[in-house]
Amino acid sequence: MTRHQLYARTLTTAALLLAAAGIYTGAATAWWMSVFGLYGAAFLAYCARLEYSFHRQQLLAHERARRAAVVQGAEPLIPCCSIWRHSDHAVHGPGCTRPPDTAPDPTAELYAACCAAWFVSRGDTHESTCPTRTTRSSAA
């Protein structure tokens, strides 16, 4: 249990108690007095939602770090290109000098593409500026 989850549970309990007090106050005395309790309950529920969100973000960060440690071993993540840094370490740029990972990469074909039109058309067409301009065999 993270501290955010503890705060979220505390805020949720306080919101429920304040909502119950607001409803009781509205039924027992004047209805306009319940507005303050219900407003406070809504605010505490909003704060609890934010804390639950922070809890999920912290768990996600820990899971990403664990997966990176398992996949990468003890090797630290060294930034190699700007696309890699901005894609949360998932995709390398076309001019990246880092060798492709040893694990099967679903974007390996994209890295090997000679032009964007070739990749989109599965090897049938090329752009006018493409230096290769060879079509893919239908057997592949």
Side-chain angles (χ1 to χ4, degrees):
M1 175 185 294
T2 63
R3 65 181 176 89
H4 294 295
Q5 188 178 21
L6 178 66
Y7 294 159
R9 288 180 178 178
T10 305
L11 287 168
T12 302
T13 304
L16 288 174
L17 290 174
L18 197 56
I23 291 171
Y24 174 75
T25 304
T29 59
W31 65 269
W32 58 270
M33 291 181 70
S34 67
V35 171
F36 298 111
L38 295 177
Y39 178 77
F43 178 73
L44 290 178
Y46 171 74
C47 292
R49 182 179 171 106
L50 287 178
E51 288 295 328
Y52 277 123
S53 174
F54 293 147
H55 168 69
R56 285 190 302 271
Q57 288 175 1
Q58 191 172 16
L59 289 181
L60 182 63
H62 286 301
E63 181 63 21
R64 284 184 180 169
R66 186 192 65 80
R67 288 184 181 181
V70 168
V71 171
Q72 298 286 331
E75 176 183 320
L77 297 176
I78 301 169
C80 56
C81 62
S82 62
I83 294 176
W84 184 75
R85 277 181 270 148
H86 296 297
S87 68
D88 199 20
H89 316 303
V91 181
H92 293 279
C96 183
T97 58
R98 183 176 181 169
D101 297 330
T102 57
D105 188 11
T107 57
E109 187 177 13
L110 176 62
Y111 297 147
C114 57
C115 63
W118 179 87
F119 179 74
V120 172
S121 68
R122 300 277 196 192
D124 290 335
T125 59
H126 291 273
E127 295 175 355
S128 60
T129 59
C130 181
T132 307
R133 292 192 194 158
T134 55
T135 57
R136 177 185 280 182
S137 170
S138 60

